[in-house]
């Protein structure tokens, strides 16, 4: 049956996916680890050692075992380094794209966390304002003490007035409970 050109092709089995399902995230992780290694001093050291060994071998080894001639400008070495660079560039770009995606997700999570923190802070500010309003109507310790002093002074002045009038009323005993006896 002829394929319809107005519909996309169904994906068939490719050479890479025949062994099972293809995990794009796994390939991304592998390429990131390679790109990370390409950016390390260890890679620079290994690449330098590789080039020095290559050049030394093809310069000082017997003529029969040399595989890259200095007279040709070490063409094979140039091709090897070009091949390495042609694979390194896309791997680095892939790693950068994956990092950008992670940064985007992290930025979104940070924005959501900041919004929650702002909402919590506004809620706490409203609660503190309502507590201040409620506390302005509550008697403070100093206010209660001053009122008690005033009442005590009033009671003492009343008792002093009654004693002067000859009333046999006893002053309230601070250790006793209940009303004073008459």
């Amino acid at each position: 049956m002829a394929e319809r050109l107005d519909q996309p092709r169904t994906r068939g089995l490719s050479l890479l996916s025949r062994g099972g399902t293809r995990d794009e995230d796994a390939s991304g992780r592998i390429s990131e680890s390679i790109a990370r290694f390409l950016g390390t001093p260890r890679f620079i050291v290994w690449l330098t050692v590789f080039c020095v060994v290559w050049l030394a071998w093809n310069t000082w080894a017997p003529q029969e075992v040399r595989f890259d001639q200095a007279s040709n400008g070490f063409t094979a070495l140039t091709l090897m380094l070009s091949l390495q660079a042609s694979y390194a560039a896309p791997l680095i770009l892939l790693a950068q794209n994956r990092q950008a995606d992670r940064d985007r997700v992290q930025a979104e999570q940070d924005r959501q966390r900041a919004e929650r923190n702002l909402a919590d802070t506004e809620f706490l500010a409203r609660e503190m304002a309502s507590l201040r309003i409620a506390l302005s109507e509550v008697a403070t310790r100093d206010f209660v003490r001053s009122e008690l002093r005033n009442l005590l002074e009033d009671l003492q002045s009343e008792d002093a007035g009654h004693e002067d009038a000859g009333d046999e009323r006893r002053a309230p005993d601070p250790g006793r409970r209940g009303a004073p006896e008459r």
Side-chain angles (χ1 to χ4, degrees):
M1 179 173 172
E3 290 185 29
R4 293 188 52 155
L5 297 178
D6 62 340
Q7 294 178 352
R9 268 192 195 174
T10 58
R11 295 185 87 173
L13 291 177
S14 70
L15 185 61
L16 294 176
S17 65
R18 288 188 185 167
T21 60
R22 191 171 61 180
D23 186 9
E24 291 181 15
D25 197 44
S27 63
R29 284 192 305 267
I30 291 169
S31 63
E32 270 187 340
S33 64
I34 293 170
R36 250 187 236 110
F37 176 70
L38 291 175
T40 62
R42 188 179 349 164
F43 171 74
I44 300 296
V45 169
W46 281 110
L47 185 62
T48 303
V49 168
F50 173 78
C51 290
V52 167
V53 168
W54 184 292
L55 293 172
W57 179 269
N58 289 301
T59 302
W60 295 313
Q63 191 68 30
E64 307 83 49
V65 293
R66 293 183 194 174
F67 52 87
D68 193 14
Q69 301 298 324
S71 60
N72 293 336
F74 296 108
T75 307
L77 177 62
T78 305
L79 289 174
M80 290 293 292
L81 294 176
S82 296
L83 181 66
Q84 181 269 330
S86 68
Y87 276 101
L91 289 173
I92 292 169
L93 289 174
L94 178 64
Q96 287 176 342
N97 288 341
R98 286 174 53 91
Q99 184 63 43
D101 290 342
R102 281 193 297 271
D103 291 344
R104 193 175 310 111
V105 168
Q106 184 65 39
E108 178 64 24
Q109 289 173 349
D110 289 345
R111 185 189 62 75
Q112 290 172 351
R113 191 176 305 117
E115 285 177 357
R116 284 193 306 267
N117 288 342
L118 180 63
D120 290 345
T121 303
E122 288 174 350
F123 172 75
L124 290 174
R126 285 191 303 271
E127 287 295 314
M128 287 179 62
S130 67
L131 285 174
R132 283 186 188 144
I133 291 169
L135 282 177
S136 68
E137 298 170 1
V138 173
T140 63
R141 180 177 59 189
D142 292 335
F143 175 75
V144 171
R145 281 185 181 167
S146 68
E147 289 296 313
L148 287 174
R149 277 192 201 112
N150 291 341
L151 286 173
L152 184 61
E153 288 172 2
D154 289 345
L155 286 174
Q156 287 174 349
S157 66
E158 272 184 27
D159 282 345
H162 289 298
E163 286 177 10
D164 289 343
D167 191 3
E168 293 182 3
R169 185 175 164 211
R170 290 177 44 188
D173 185 9
R176 276 185 78 184
R177 293 190 179 170
E181 292 181 7
R182 289 197 175 196

